[in-house]
Amino acid sequence: MSILATRSVHKHASKAVLLALALGGAAGSAQAFEQAPTLDAAVAAGELPAVDERLPANPLVVEPVDRPGTYGGVWRSGLRGGDDTGWLMRTVGYEPLVRYDRNWEEVVPNLAESFESNADATAFTFHLREGVRWSDGEPFTAEDVAFSLELSADESFPASVPNWMRSVDNPATAEVVDPTTLIIRFEKPMGLFLEQIASVDGVQLVQYQKKHCSQFYQKYNPDADRLAKDNGFQSWAFMLLDRCGLANEITRWSRDDIPSLTAWRVVEPYAGNASHVVLRRNPYYFKVDPAGHQLPYIDELRMRISESVDELTLMALNGEIDYQDRHLTTIINKPLFFDGQEDGGYHLVDNLLSSMNTMTLQLNHNHADPVLRGLFQDKNFRIGLSHAINRQEIIDVVFTSQGEPFQAAPRPESRFYDEVMAKQYTEYDPGKAAEYLAEAGLTEKGGDGILLRPDGKRLSFTIETIAAFYPEWPDMLQLIQLQLREVGIDIQIRTIDRTLYYDKRESNDFDAQVWQGEGGLDVVTEPRYYMPFDPESVFAYKWQAWFNNPASKLAEEPADWAKRQMELYRQIEATADRDEQDGLMRQILAIARDEFPVIGISLPPNGYAVVRNNLHNVASSMKHAWAFPTPAPYDPAQWFFD
Amino acid sequence: MIQFIVHRSLTMVLTLWAISIVAFAIIQLPPGDYLTAYVAQLNASGDQVDPATLDALREAYGLGEPFYVQYFKWIGGIFSGDFGQSFEWRTSVTSLIWGRLGNSVLLEGLAVLAMWLVALPIGIYAAVRKYSLGDYLTTVIGFIGLSIPNFLFALVFMYLGFVWFGETLGGLYSPPFEQAPWSFAKLWDFLTHAWIPVIVLATAGTAQLVRILRANLLDELGKPYVVTARAKGLKEWRLILRYPVRVALNPLVSTIGWLLPTLISSSIVVSVVMNLPTTGPLLLKSLTSQDMYLAGGIILLLGALTIVGTLISDLILAWIDPRIRHGGS
C-alpha cells in the first residue's frame, strides 16, 4: 500500500517537474514551480525566498477534483462562539504525517513521502520530504516530530493528547535516524497505528516546531519556568500552551506567530473579542498542482465568529458563505437552503455521514440496582423494547420521512455491512414485543397497565438525553415514551446538561442514555457500540474501563461475550495485515449481532454542505466523520474561485 | 448630601461583596467543574484525557481546593486588578471583558435613552388626552411591544432585513471597523448597526414606562394645586410639565436602578440571536462551560454597574423631588 502510494507520488512529481521545466525552459528560466501572484512582490523585494527554495524537492502533487484552478479569492465561512476548533481543524488544521485518501480507505503519504511498518506492527518508519519548511521558513525535520512526541508524552505537560502517546503499558519511542528519517517504536504491536495518526488526531505528532517551542520547555531550557512566571503564567507548561498551542484547542489559533505546516496561517487570531478569524496563504506550503503551481489556490479564509446560528443561516442564504457544512446545515434547515439556492447563488453538496444511527439507546448493563441490571442484561428484554418501537413513525414525524429503520450496525456503504445485523428486531410488532418481555419474566401488569418487575415493583426507568447536541433526541424520545407505554413499559425522559451527563457515567448513576451512531464507516477504529470499547460505550461503562485499564477503580469484569470481543480486538491491534484485521472485526461484529447490546432507531439522512456556485473543485459527495475531518481530506487547497 | 453619598457608598461596597460571594457560590453549584465540561467536550469529539493529566490540570487550576480557598484567591486577585484566567480561552479575564463591557454599556445606555425619549412625551400625552384616539393607539402599540419576546422581535427584524434589503443584520460593526480605534467614522458605523438592537431592547420597556407615567400623571392632574394653578392663568403645558410631571416621575426615577439588570438580562438573549459583541454571549458561554472566573468576573462587574445605577437614580430623585432632598421634613 505505502509503496504503491509512494510510487504514484514520485510519478506525479517527476511529471510536474518535467512539465514545469518545459514551460520554464520556454520562458528562458529554470524555474520549476509557480507561485501565487500575491507573493511576487515579497519575493522581488527579497523578503521571501524564491518559490523553488520554499518548496521541498519532492512536493506532494494534489490531483484536482475537476480541473486545474486559478489563484485568488476569499473563502468565507462561520465559526460558532468561543471554542469551535472543530471547524478550523476540518478546513485548515488537518496536515498529519500520513493521511487518509479521499475514499477513506487507505493511508497515504502527506508530510512523510513514504512509510513502512515491520511485520508485527511494533516499528513504523517514516521518510519525510526533503526541504519542507514551517510557515516561518525553518526546515521541518524528524527532530520536530520526535520533539512533539516527547513533549506530548510528558506527564508534567497538562494537555489532552491521543491515548497512544501516553500509554503506560505500551509506550512509544521515537528514533531520529537522520533529518528525514524517523522510526516510532512500541513495545507491543500497534496494528491500527497508521489509521490513528492518519485521523484528525495525527496532527498532534507534527504540531510543535522544536526550535520555537523548546525554549518554553523546562527540559530544554532550565529557565523556562522563571520565564513563564515573569510573563504571568503559573508554570512553563501554561506558557508553552499559550505560545505553541494545542491542536484540539483554541490556543492553536489564538496567536499569529505559531509556526505551522498548514496551507493557510493565522493573521487575525481567534481571540475572545474578535469577530473574525482570518487566515492567509502559507508561502511555504509543501503541495503543488500537477502543473507545478504551489497550492493553495485561494488566498484567504475569513471566518465570522458568531454566537448565533440564525445569523450564520441568514448569511448563507444571502450568499455570504462560500463553503460550510457545520452548525447551520441541520436537518430542519435543509428545505430552507434548498429553496434559497437560486437567490443565494449556492448549491448543496451531499455529505455521507459516518454515523449509522440517529439515536443509539443504551441501557446500563452495569446498573447498581440488581433487578434493573438483570433486565437490561437480558437480551429478550432489549428485543422486546426494540419490537415495541415504531421506527417508521419516528422517521416520518421527526425526520420528514428521511432514513430507514436501522440497528447499531455498520452502514450499507461499509465493507462490514450485514443486513441481518442492521435490520433484526426493527419491525414494529407489539405482539412480538409482549412475547419477548414475557420471556424476560415480565408478565404481570399493575392497575395502571404498567408491567411489574420480578420484585413486584412498577417497571419504570429514566432515559437521559441532552438537547444541545442533537435537538431531535427529545422529540424522538417522546414518541418512544408513548410507544413503550402501549406494551406496559414506563420510561421517564430527563434532559440534562452535558457536563452532568458525563458525570453520571463516572458515578454509575443512570438507567439509560442516548447518543448518535459513530462507527458506521470507521468500524474498526470506532467500535464503541459493537463492544465495550471506550468511555463512549455507555451501555457498559464499567466493562470498557476494565478493557482499557483493569486496575482502574471503575473496572468490573465483563460478561464472557464481551471478554471474547476484547480478546479479538487485542488481536486486531497485534497484526499489521489488513485482511486479518477485517476477519477479526467480523467476528467481533458477529458477537454484537448475537448479543444485541445497543438498540438503534434509524439511519441518519445524509448531511449536506452549502457551496457557492463560483467555488470549484469541491468533491460532489463527501464522507464525513470526526476522524475523517471533511472537507480537509478532499483538499480545500485545490479549491478555487472563478 | 455629602453624608448621604458617603453612607450610600458604604452600603454599596457591602452589597458588592455579598454579590461576589453569591455569584461565586452559584457558579459552583452545578455538578462537576470546568474540567468535567472540558472532558465531556473532548470525549464527544473522540479525544480522551487520561486521569493523570486531569489531576495535573485540576491542581494547576486550583479546582480541587475547598470553596472558601478558591473564593479568597479570586477576590484577593481582584483587589490587585487581576480577575484571574479564563479556562476556556486560556487568557486573562480582563482582556476578554473590557471591550465587550464597553459595547454592553453603550448599547444598554442607548436603549435606556431611547426608552425615556419616546416614553416621556407619549406618556404625558396619553394622560392629558385621556381616552383619545392617540391614547388608544399608543396603548395598543405599547402592549404589542410588551408582549412580543425580545429575541423573537430580533429574529423578525433580521428576517425582514434579509428579505427586504438583502442585508444580514448581525453584529455591531462593519468588518473594517471591528478592530479599528474609536473615531467619528467608527461611531457612525456603530450607530448604523446599533439602532436595531436598541429598538428591540427598548420596546418592552417603553410600553411599561408609558403606562406607569400615564397612571401617575392621572393621579396628579386632578389634585387641588393643579386646579389652583390653572385658575391663576398659568399656561397649560407649562403648568403640566412644571409640577405634576415632576411628581409623577418620582416612581419612575426610583426604578432606574432596576432597569439596568432587566435590560442586561434581556439583552443576553438578543445578543446571542443577533451576534452582538457584548458581555451577554460571553456570560452565557462561560456559565455553560463552568468557566468560573470569567463568569464570576462578568457577574461582579454587572452587579457593580447595577449598584452604580441605583446610586444615580437616587441622586436624580433627590434632585427632582424636594421632599426627598429635605429628608421629608
Side-chain angles (χ1 to χ4, degrees), chain B residues 23-167:
Chain B
F24 204 73
I26 288 176
I27 294 163
Q28 298 263 27
L29 273 184
D33 52 29
Y34 167 72
L35 285 179
T36 40
Y38 173 69
V39 170
Q41 179 205 319
L42 282 177
N43 281 356
S45 60
D47 274 13
Q48 290 173 44
V49 196
D50 63 9
T53 308
L54 269 189
D55 291 343
L57 277 170
R58 201 160 257 130
E59 192 176 344
Y61 288 146
L63 287 172
E65 289 161 344
F67 169 80
Y68 62 92
V69 174
Q70 291 190 40
Y71 172 77
F72 280 112
K73 252 191 187 164
W74 177 63
I75 210 82
I78 285 176
F79 276 116
S80 56
D82 173 18
F83 280 73
Q85 289 275 321
S86 155
F87 301 141
E88 189 166 17
W89 292 94
R90 308 235 174 199
T91 174
S92 74
V93 168
T94 36
S95 69
L96 287 170
I97 293 182
W98 284 129
R100 286 170 174 262
L101 197 66
N103 286 337
S104 279
V105 171
L106 212 72
L107 203 64
E108 271 129 31
L110 279 174
V112 173
L113 206 66
M115 265 160 57
W116 280 79
L117 285 178
V118 176
L120 271 180
I122 292 181
I124 295 169
Y125 173 85
V128 175
R129 297 272 180 273
K130 193 170 58 163
Y131 304 139
S132 67
L133 179 67
D135 179 20
Y136 281 125
L137 207 64
T138 51
T139 304
V140 169
I141 293 172
F143 273 107
I144 291 174
L146 195 62
S147 54
I148 298 179
N150 270 344
F151 72 92
L152 187 71
F153 205 36
L155 271 178
V156 168
F157 252 118
M158 285 168 78
Y159 177 73
L160 292 180
F162 164 66
V163 172
W164 290 346
F165 307 111
E167 287 283 335

Side-chain angles (χ1 to χ4, degrees), chain A residues 58-69:
Chain A
N58 171 24
L60 180 65
V61 179
V62 179
E63 285 296 330
V65 166
D66 186 24
R67 61 182 194 268

Side-chain angles (χ1 to χ4, degrees), chain B residues 166-180:
Chain B
E167 287 283 335
T168 319
L169 302 167
L172 279 180
Y173 305 99
S174 312
F177 289 105
E178 269 160 11
Q179 305 294 339

